[in-house]
């Protein structure tokens, strides 16, 4: 549905790349998909602009996220790969932020990530079974470690599995990468992970 980017590469202020269709019905049958009642998304979008206007960096955002979500760091000191906006006095010392809204079939998900080159400060996943979001997991940087919480009302994860995921979730990797190392089923979270794996393809660079 949309991707918001802030303080990453050439994106200093928050920008939104949206696939939401307008009310224009031209080529409706070819270009628009109604994923659920009232939500119409475009099948494709075009980005054009002058040289050095950020087109390649937009593609690099997708490449960064798809790599970061599932890459296992060799050690805790390995950089995350996040690069802030550097032509400013403040932003190089602030985390990059991403917010992704997407649909798995007719279920809407919201994923939020804040990180710098060394660690993840915040990582959250929600889904919508009603008009209000339901938290699936939160992960926050507290007391020099990642503190992870699953929603017990939705995600049935044993205490042993939660502890194992927490131990494997190094500061510089995604929770999805840590979860991949634990033999447990978490259907609501795995559905989002499978969408990320299958729907975001590598960029083709000239």
């Amino acid at each position: 549905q949309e991707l918001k980017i802030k303080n990453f590469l050439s994106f200093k202020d928050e920008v939104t790349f949206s696939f939401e269709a307008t009310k224009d019905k031209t080529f409706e049958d070819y270009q628009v998909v109604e994923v659920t009642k009232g939500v119409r998304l475009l099948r494709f979008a075009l980005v054009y602009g002058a040289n050095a206007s950020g087109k390649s960096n937009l593609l690099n955002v997708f490449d960064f996220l798809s790599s970061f979500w599932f890459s296992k760091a060799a050690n805790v000191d390995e950089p995350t790969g996040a690069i802030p906006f550097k032509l400013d006095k403040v932003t190089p010392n602030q985390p990059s932020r991403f917010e992704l809204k997407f649909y798995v079939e007719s279920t809407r998900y919201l994923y939020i990530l804040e990180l710098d080159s060394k660690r993840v400060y915040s990582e959250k996943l929600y889904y919508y079974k009603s008009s209000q979001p339901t938290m699936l997991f939160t992960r926050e940087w507290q007391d020099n470690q990642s503190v992870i919480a699953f929603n017990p009302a939705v995600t049935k994860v044993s205490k042993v599995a939660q502890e194992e995921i927490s131990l494997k979730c190094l500061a510089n990797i995604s929770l999805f990468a840590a979860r991949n190392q634990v033999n447990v089923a978490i259907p609501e979270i795995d559905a989002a992970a499978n969408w990320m794996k299958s729907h975001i393809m590598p960029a083709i660079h000239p």
Side-chain angles (χ1 to χ4, degrees):
Q1 185 174 7
E2 70 176 27
L3 172 66
K4 292 183 178 181
I5 311 154
K6 183 177 181 180
N7 192 29
F8 185 77
L9 297 175
S10 59
F11 301 107
K12 176 186 176 183
D13 300 318
E14 183 178 87
V15 298
T16 301
F17 184 50
S18 175
F19 281 86
E20 288 194 56
T22 66
K23 295 180 180 180
D24 187 348
K25 299 293 184 178
T26 308
F27 307 119
E28 180 81 9
D29 294 340
Y30 304 98
Q31 192 179 344
V32 176
V33 177
E34 188 171 26
V35 292
T36 189
K37 186 176 181 180
V39 180
R40 299 163 58 251
L41 302 183
L42 300 174
R43 291 181 184 273
F44 65 89
L46 303 177
V47 179
Y48 59 92
N51 290 341
S53 61
K55 300 184 302 294
S56 296
N57 282 342
L58 177 61
L59 296 179
N60 288 335
V61 170
F62 287 100
D63 273 350
F64 166 75
L65 287 174
S66 59
S67 173
F68 175 75
W69 280 328
F70 304 109
S71 295
K72 178 184 174 183
N75 58 71
V76 73
D77 297 320
E78 189 173 311
T80 64
I83 302 173
F85 182 83
K86 294 185 176 181
L87 301 179
D88 186 86
K89 293 181 179 180
V90 177
T91 52
N93 299 313
Q94 294 180 331
S96 301
R97 178 182 169 87
F98 306 92
E99 188 173 310
L100 180 67
K101 296 177 182 177
F102 59 98
Y103 281 83
V104 179
E105 297 180 352
S106 60
T107 300
R108 179 185 175 191
Y109 280 80
L110 169 62
Y111 173 79
I112 302 171
L113 174 66
E114 293 186 31
L115 78 171
D116 61 16
S117 62
K118 296 180 180 179
R119 66 180 61 89
V120 173
Y121 290 96
S122 179
E123 188 176 20
K124 301 175 183 178
L125 182 67
Y126 302 85
Y127 76 169
Y128 291 75
K129 287 299 183 181
S130 65
S131 60
Q132 298 299 316
T134 298
M135 182 268 284
L136 294 175
F137 74 75
T138 61
R139 179 252 190 111
E140 302 286 347
W141 183 253
Q142 299 176 5
D143 299 325
N144 292 320
Q145 65 178 353
S146 291
V147 178
I148 299 168
F150 295 94
N151 184 347
V154 181
T155 53
K156 308 301 181 182
V157 185
S158 69
K159 185 177 180 180
V160 172
Q162 290 187 42
E163 291 175 351
E164 191 172 355
I165 292 172
S166 294
L167 286 172
K168 295 183 182 299
C169 196
L170 302 180
N172 55 348
I173 70 172
S174 169
L175 183 139
F176 295 112
R179 180 265 170 280
N180 274 349
Q181 302 174 59
V182 179
N183 185 22
V184 62
I186 316 175
E188 297 80 10
I189 294 174
D190 291 347
N194 290 334
W195 184 93
M196 292 168 171
K197 290 176 183 176
S198 61
H199 283 70
I200 297 186
M201 301 175 66
I204 301 173
H205 296 279

